[in-house]
């Protein structure tokens, strides 16, 4: 039995009828043709499927689509509207923060979400000062990005790209 789902993806409104077991990732890829969210492990362990839902990062392979009725979903493509690359996209390109590129959309979405979290003052397990502004040290960035895996091992450049984007957005 199908259920109606209405949400906004990368600025475009969509209404779908989906099975109650459909994940947000499958709705994006299979029903809407949005390919920037990648299907990696399908168990929430690799982060390739990371998208922003109402501004918060989320592993879309673990989320049932219907639980996000009315939500605003942003993929890595949505962070570059009309082809205008975001600060994060430009930093990833400039610092070669990818090799094969498969994990890159999830990395970019996760970085965008974590930069917003840090700007809001949300601490991580390695945050020293729980009352002051979050300092995005290399250790802090690594901890906050730890849910996104890169099989190619581009971590050094990913951390550098996130750091550069954080500096440029200040």
């Amino acid at each position: 039995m199908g259920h109606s789902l209405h949400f906004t993806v990368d600025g475009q409104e969509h209404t779908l009828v989906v099975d109650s077991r459909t994940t947000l990732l499958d709705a994006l890829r299979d029903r809407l043709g949005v390919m920037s969210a990648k299907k990696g492990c399908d168990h929430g362990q690799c982060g390739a499927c990371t998208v922003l839902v109402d501004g918060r990062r989320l592993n879309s392979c673990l989320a049932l689509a219907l639980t996000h009725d009315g939500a605003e979903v942003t993929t890595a493509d949505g962070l570059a509207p009309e082809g205008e690359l975001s600060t994060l996209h430009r930093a990833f390109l400039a610092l070669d923060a990818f090799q094969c590129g498969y994990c890159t959309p999830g990395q970019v979405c996760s970085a965008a979400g974590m930069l917003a979290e840090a700007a809001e003052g949300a601490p991580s397990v390695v945050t020293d000062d729980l009352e002051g502004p979050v300092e995005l040290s290399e250790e802090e960035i690594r901890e906050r990005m730890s849910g996104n895996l890169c099989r190619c091992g581009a971590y050094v450049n990913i951390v550098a790209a996130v750091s550069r984007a954080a500096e440029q957005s200040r």
Side-chain angles (χ1 to χ4, degrees):
M1 184 162 81
H3 301 278
S4 182
L5 167 66
H6 179 79
F7 58 169
T8 303
V9 178
D10 296 338
Q12 247 185 330
E13 291 188 28
H14 297 277
T15 300
L16 301 173
V17 174
V18 297
D19 182 279
S20 61
R21 300 165 292 180
T22 303
T23 65
L24 180 57
L25 178 61
D26 288 339
L28 291 171
R29 291 181 62 81
D30 299 341
R31 301 296 305 281
L32 297 178
V34 176
M35 296 299 168
S36 67
K38 304 296 185 200
K39 186 173 272 210
C41 67
D42 219 15
H43 294 288
Q45 296 174 342
C46 73
C49 67
T50 304
V51 297
L52 301 173
V53 176
D54 295 329
R56 298 285 184 199
R57 52 192 171 153
L58 176 82
N59 288 342
S60 61
C61 73
L62 295 180
L64 293 174
L66 289 173
T67 63
H68 298 290
D69 188 40
E72 184 172 325
V73 178
T74 305
T75 69
D77 287 347
L79 293 173
E82 299 179 27
E84 183 65 34
L85 296 181
S86 71
T87 302
L88 271 168
H89 287 102
R90 288 192 304 275
F92 268 69
L93 284 169
L95 296 171
D96 293 325
F98 56 90
Q99 286 181 31
C100 79
Y102 195 81
C103 71
T104 305
Q107 297 276 1
V108 169
C109 280
S110 189
M114 80 82 142
L115 288 173
E117 292 163 11
E120 293 169 359
S124 78
V125 71
V126 299
T127 305
D128 289 327
D129 182 3
L130 300 180
E131 308 243 345
V134 175
E135 293 294 323
L136 287 175
S137 65
E138 184 176 310
E139 179 184 30
E140 189 77 42
I141 292 169
R142 285 184 184 281
E143 171 61 30
R144 290 173 182 266
M145 294 293 293
S146 65
N148 291 79
L149 304 180
C150 173
R151 290 188 63 179
C152 301
Y155 296 113
V156 171
N157 295 353
I158 291 168
V159 171
V162 173
S163 181
R164 178 181 285 184
E167 289 171 13
Q168 290 177 343
S169 64
R170 282 189 207 138

